[in-house]
Amino acid sequence: MTHNGKQAERQKRYEKRIATIQASKYGLMNNSKWAKIFRLITEYTGVVEARAKILGDEYLYSMKLEIYADTLSSSESYSTNLRGYTADGMAGPLKLAEIEYIIVTLPPNIDHETLLLIIHQNGQYEIEIQADTLIVYGWK
């Protein structure tokens, strides 16, 4: 088997494993909803980074929210060139459809009730706030 053949076979197995995991969970998000919540979080809190848990993986990936948000920031060329890559720019693209949840550390001056109100006014999201942490679920 060639290198490309092995790579294609590995990709098939990965996609099958993810599909199996997704079939056992309830999907709460799509790409548009993720992009919108990333923008809302960044605009209201000023937080630009989060940690993402991907289905079938125990590692928490660091991600820059502006790269995935539904609006480009002033660093438009930066966002365009790295759109969809983790914060280290090396781990490869995170597929939004495979994000199980994200964890956002909130600054101490953020009013949790106002944040919840803003989020709920902009769509239906499965979220939790625990102390200084916001968790947004993509799969449950």
Side-chain angles (χ1 to χ4, degrees):
M1 187 178 283
T2 67
H3 174 69
N4 287 342
K6 287 180 184 178
Q7 200 170 18
E9 184 61 33
R10 249 192 319 254
Q11 182 65 25
K12 263 192 206 176
R13 284 194 310 267
Y14 171 79
E15 289 172 2
K16 185 177 180 181
R17 182 169 56 91
I18 294 301
T20 301
I21 293 169
Q22 287 175 331
S24 69
K25 294 183 176 274
Y26 181 72
L28 302 166
M29 299 288 270
N30 58 37
N31 289 354
S32 297
K33 286 181 75 173
W34 276 121
K36 189 175 192 179
I37 193 81
F38 294 157
R39 178 180 48 81
L40 292 171
I41 291 168
T42 300
E43 286 178 354
Y44 181 70
T45 68
V47 174
V48 296
E49 292 192 16
R51 291 170 289 150
K53 160 78 171 60
I54 304 299
L55 291 169
D57 194 346
E58 295 306 312
Y59 184 75
L60 289 173
Y61 293 90
S62 177
M63 62 184 295
K64 291 196 180 291
L65 298 178
E66 72 174 344
I67 293 174
Y68 291 91
D70 60 2
T71 56
L72 293 175
S73 68
S74 59
S75 58
E76 185 172 328
S77 62
Y78 171 79
S79 296
T80 303
N81 291 334
L82 290 178
R83 187 166 185 85
Y85 279 78
T86 55
D88 63 9
M90 297 171 26
L94 293 176
K95 295 179 181 176
L96 297 180
E98 295 178 6
I99 295 177
E100 188 169 347
Y101 58 84
I102 65 163
I103 299 171
V104 179
T105 302
L106 299 172
N109 63 333
I110 296 301
D111 178 48
H112 295 174
E113 294 302 318
T114 304
L115 177 59
L116 288 172
L117 181 65
I118 289 169
I119 291 172
H120 288 303
Q121 286 176 339
N122 284 277
Q124 294 182 344
Y125 296 95
E126 184 75 30
I127 59 175
E128 285 180 36
I129 293 184
Q130 301 172 353
D132 65 344
T133 304
L134 170 69
I135 302 170
V136 182
Y137 293 94
W139 293 90
K140 269 211 158 184

